[in-house]
């Protein structure tokens, strides 16, 4: 009657079982060695135990005419092991946090220029001419060190600026930002 310990648990089934408030409560009670579902009506307790058992979270142990439940010790580890690894980020994404901010600047110049072109293509459109303040506001989405990123963009030639710094514009050549949008 216990769940098969040789099968890899289905993560969706695990989450579905733990999304159920009554099943979660019963799981917690079993995990601390308490009597499962003492505050639940018998039908709800049976449903919660069925969900937990089918998900592979608990197993039934019959001893001397009584039934008790225990947590399958390695169910979460087994479920995680069965998942495909997350794909490694490639291209510009290697240098960004999950929310799209610059995590670090690449050491390789080609990668750094690619990252700068990617930023430039997102903050300015061809023909835009913005003030330093506007540019800084746009750059703040990508970094906490706005002056450094602005300087990198200007020094790399990705962004042009007037000598007095009163206006900035996209200076990418047509092929610089081609596949970075």
């Amino acid at each position: 009657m216990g769940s098969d310990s040789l099968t890899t648990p289905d993560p969706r089934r695990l989450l579905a079982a733990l999304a159920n408030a009554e099943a979660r409560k019963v799981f917690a009670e079993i995990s601390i060695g308490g009597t499962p579902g003492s505050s639940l009506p018998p039908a709800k307790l049976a449903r919660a135990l069925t969900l937990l058992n089918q998900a592979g979270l608990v197993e039934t142990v019959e001893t001397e005419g009584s039934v008790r439940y225990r947590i399958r010790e390695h169910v979460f580890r087994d479920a995680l092991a069965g998942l495909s690894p997350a794909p490694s980020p490639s291209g510009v994404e290697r240098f960004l946090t999950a929310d799209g901010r610059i995590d670090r600047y690449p050491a390789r110049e080609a990668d750094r220029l690619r990252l700068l072109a990617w930023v430039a293509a997102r903050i300015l459109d061809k023909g835009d001419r913005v003030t330093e303040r506007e540019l800084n506001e746009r750059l703040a989405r990508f970094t906490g060190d706005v002056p450094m990123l602005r300087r990198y963009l200007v020094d790399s030639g990705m962004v042009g600026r007037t000598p007095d710094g009163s206006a900035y514009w996209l200076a990418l050549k047509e092929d610089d930002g081609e596949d970075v949008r």
Side-chain angles (χ1 to χ4, degrees):
M1 189 170 167
S3 57
D4 184 354
S5 62
L6 298 177
T7 59
T8 302
D10 178 3
R12 287 179 297 266
R13 205 171 243 197
L14 289 175
L15 292 173
L18 293 174
N20 180 294
E22 286 141 357
R24 230 179 10 257
K25 182 177 182 178
V26 170
F27 181 78
E29 291 168 343
I30 293 169
S31 69
I32 62 170
T35 304
S38 55
S39 64
L40 293 176
K44 287 190 176 190
L45 173 60
R47 172 77 177 129
L49 287 169
T50 299
L51 278 173
L52 294 170
N53 199 303
Q54 288 175 344
L57 288 164
V58 299
E59 54 190 353
T60 307
V61 180
E62 294 183 32
T63 54
E64 300 176 16
S66 68
V67 175
R68 63 182 186 84
Y69 297 89
R70 69 176 173 216
I71 302 295
R72 283 193 58 227
E73 292 297 321
H74 302 292
V75 68
F76 294 107
R77 184 197 65 206
D78 294 347
L80 286 170
L83 294 176
S84 301
S88 297
S90 61
V92 170
E93 288 79 23
R94 294 176 296 162
F95 310 107
L96 303 175
T97 61
D99 62 350
R101 294 176 61 82
I102 297 172
D103 181 44
R104 66 191 186 286
Y105 290 96
R108 286 187 43 217
E109 183 180 11
D111 289 335
R112 192 170 45 257
L113 291 174
R114 209 170 286 114
L115 175 65
L116 294 172
W118 181 87
V119 170
R122 279 160 181 71
I123 59 164
L124 294 167
D125 288 322
K126 190 173 182 177
D128 276 355
R129 204 166 171 90
V130 299
T131 65
E132 183 173 308
R133 182 178 183 184
E134 287 176 283
L135 182 68
N136 290 346
E137 288 171 1
R138 295 177 186 190
L139 292 175
R141 294 183 315 189
F142 298 99
T143 185
D145 191 348
V146 171
M148 183 171 71
L149 178 55
R150 187 182 62 237
R151 174 58 41 211
Y152 282 164
L153 288 166
V154 171
D155 287 350
S156 69
M158 303 287 170
V159 171
R161 78 176 204 123
T162 58
D164 66 356
S166 63
Y168 292 81
W169 61 89
L170 185 64
L172 289 175
K173 291 180 247 124
E174 286 300 316
D175 59 341
D176 283 346
E178 213 172 276
D179 63 343
V180 293
R181 265 200 203 262

